Amino acid sequence: MELTSEDAALLLIASENVHLKLKRERGRVHEINQLRGHYGEYHHLFPQLKADGERFVKYFRMNIETFTYILGVNEHRLIKNWCNLHQQKILPKERFAITLS
């Protein structure tokens, strides 16, 4: 099946429209993600758990010292390269806590 010049032009226009739509949507951050620092599990719950050692052990199945030790050993593996599009980094401590929960 051969493409006519009209078909080729329509495909080119359609691909440009898809590219523009994807590019436009990529910059938008959902409001749930914008408020992660205020309402997210790590930012909201972790300080409370850290203050109460018994609840920390029940939640993470390890004490605070063990959590800190394991994080220290593996922290370099949890660091990501960030670009200008990321307005709020996910810290290694946060990545580790969410992985365990």
Side-chain angles (χ1 to χ4, degrees), residues 28-84:
R28 192 178 81 206
V29 177
H30 195 276
E31 68 181 75
I32 290 174
N33 294 332
Q34 288 177 345
L35 298 174
R36 186 185 86 227
H38 191 276
Y39 293 111
E41 181 176 348
Y42 175 78
H43 297 285
H44 188 70
L45 183 62
F46 190 77
Q48 295 174 5
L49 290 173
K50 198 171 179 184
D52 185 0
E54 187 176 321
R55 299 298 289 168
F56 190 92
V57 170
K58 286 183 181 180
Y59 191 81
F60 289 113
R61 297 185 201 107
M62 67 179 76
N63 60 24
I64 297 170
E65 292 79 20
T66 305
F67 179 89
T68 305
Y69 173 76
I70 295 172
L71 176 64
V73 170
N74 294 302
E75 189 169 13
H76 67 281
R77 293 183 179 117
L78 300 171
I79 295 174
K80 295 286 233 173
N81 292 330
W82 302 102
C83 65
N84 292 337

Side-chain angles (χ1 to χ4, degrees), residues 9-25:
L10 288 174
L11 281 173
L12 181 62
I13 291 170
S15 68
E16 288 177 2
N17 287 340
V18 168
H19 176 71
L20 289 175
K21 184 176 180 183
L22 289 174
K23 188 175 181 180
R24 194 173 347 127
E25 288 180 4

